[in-house]
Amino acid sequence: RKEVEQDPGPFNVPEGATVAFNCTYSNSASQSFFWYRQDCRKEPKLLMSVYSSGNEDGRFTAQLNRASQYISLLIRDSKLSDSATYLCVPDTGRRALTFGSGTRLQVQP
Amino acid sequence: DTAVSQTPKYLVTQMGNDKSIKCEQNLGHDTMYWYKQDSKKFLKIMFSYNNKELIINETVPNRFSPKSPDKAHLNLHINSLELGDSAVYFCASSPGTSGRWEQYFGPGTRLTVT
């Protein structure tokens, strides 16, 4: 079973919309997560770390639901520049991160 | 003020050649990694070093050899390049201290083997 499962999308949303992605994880021992974004042909960039029940940074809010084993990312007031692939990654400590295929977001004018 | 840098950015070479990719981080991190992203877009770990010591060595052909001269540098040497080695190679670093393991990636090296 995959460590994380994400809807690959693409999610096509108009500018200004609010969009949410869910990520389910299989390891109930996972305590913390990272959200990364990756633009086409670029490196993954850390969007936020989630060490407790959630985190908020500007237009971005992440929530961790340990009981149901999922983590969500909410993006408010979508911008064209938000178009990217969003990757949910469990924090595995000193071991390497395991990346899935992520969820592709396309914000349209 | 580049955090994680890689050289070269693009590398086009012929089968059978030997090439190196260099990575440097100025974040003061203890742990560095090499990942490979192939055409299917999945990032896969290859190696990891913590303070110059190899801690992760995934199932990678022994044509690939990492070298860490100091904790700020992690280079990747590839012998006898094959067509299947064509991919984007990303270097990353992580604080590795105080329970902080988020990783910061370099811009990638796009390797094309012809």
Side-chain angles (χ1 to χ4, degrees):
Chain A
R1 188 178 171 188
K2 289 182 183 176
E3 201 160 343
V4 295
E5 303 254 12
Q6 288 183 257
D7 181 341
F11 282 53
N12 295 304
V13 302
E15 268 187 293
T18 295
V19 61
F21 314 130
N22 271 350
C23 166
T24 56
Y25 60 94
S26 58
N27 185 354
S28 58
S30 296
Q31 294 292 311
S32 51
F33 293 82
F34 306 115
W35 277 105
Y36 280 84
R37 67 169 281 168
Q38 186 172 23
D39 294 85
C40 189
R41 301 171 79 87
K42 299 278 189 178
E43 75 274 23
K45 289 185 178 172
L46 182 66
L47 190 60
M48 64 170 63
S49 306
V50 186
Y51 292 110
S52 57
S53 61
N55 195 1
E56 184 171 331
D57 184 3
R59 297 182 294 109
F60 299 84
T61 301
Q63 287 194 314
L64 174 57
N65 185 318
R66 295 183 199 278
S68 302
Q69 290 185 216
Y70 75 84
I71 181 166
S72 62
L73 179 68
L74 181 81
I75 305 175
R76 288 179 295 277
D77 188 23
S78 300
K79 312 286 184 195
L80 293 175
S81 57
D82 294 334
S83 298
T85 296
Y86 290 83
L87 300 139
C88 154
V89 186
D91 181 358
T92 50
R94 67 179 296 154
R95 292 185 291 119
L97 300 180
T98 302
F99 289 83
S101 54
T103 297
R104 196 154 72 87
L105 170 67
Q106 186 66 47
V107 181
Q108 294 163 338
Chain B
D1 58 347
T2 305
V4 183
S5 59
Q6 293 179 232
T7 53
K9 199 166 181 181
Y10 299 95
L11 186 52
V12 181
T13 188
Q14 291 184 326
M15 282 175 59
N17 285 347
D18 303 339
K19 290 292 178 186
S20 291
I21 307 172
K22 295 187 176 181
C23 177
E24 177 181 0
Q25 54 95 4
N26 63 4
L27 297 166
H29 289 170
D30 284 345
T31 309
M32 296 184 72
Y33 309 80
W34 276 112
Y35 287 85
K36 178 181 179 181
Q37 188 167 38
D38 58 24
S39 57
K40 292 183 181 176
K41 308 297 184 189
F42 285 98
L43 268 162
K44 292 181 184 174
I45 183 65
M46 300 174 71
F47 302 103
S48 174
Y49 271 73
N50 181 262
N51 215 354
K52 301 194 296 174
E53 179 186 346
L54 180 67
I55 58 171
I56 296 175
N57 185 352
E58 288 296 303
T59 308
V60 175
N62 57 15
R63 298 181 293 104
F64 290 79
S65 53
K67 282 191 173 49
S68 181
D70 54 63
K71 75 173 193 176
H73 295 83
L74 180 61
N75 304 322
L76 183 65
H77 188 76
I78 315 170
N79 287 328
S80 303
L81 278 154
E82 300 178 358
L83 292 176
D85 297 333
S86 296
V88 182
Y89 292 84
F90 288 102
C91 175
S93 75
S94 176
T97 55
S98 304
R100 289 188 54 204
W101 293 97
E102 70 274 14
Q103 293 181 20
Y104 299 88
F105 286 79
T109 295
R110 187 170 295 276
L111 171 65
T112 304
V113 182
T114 62

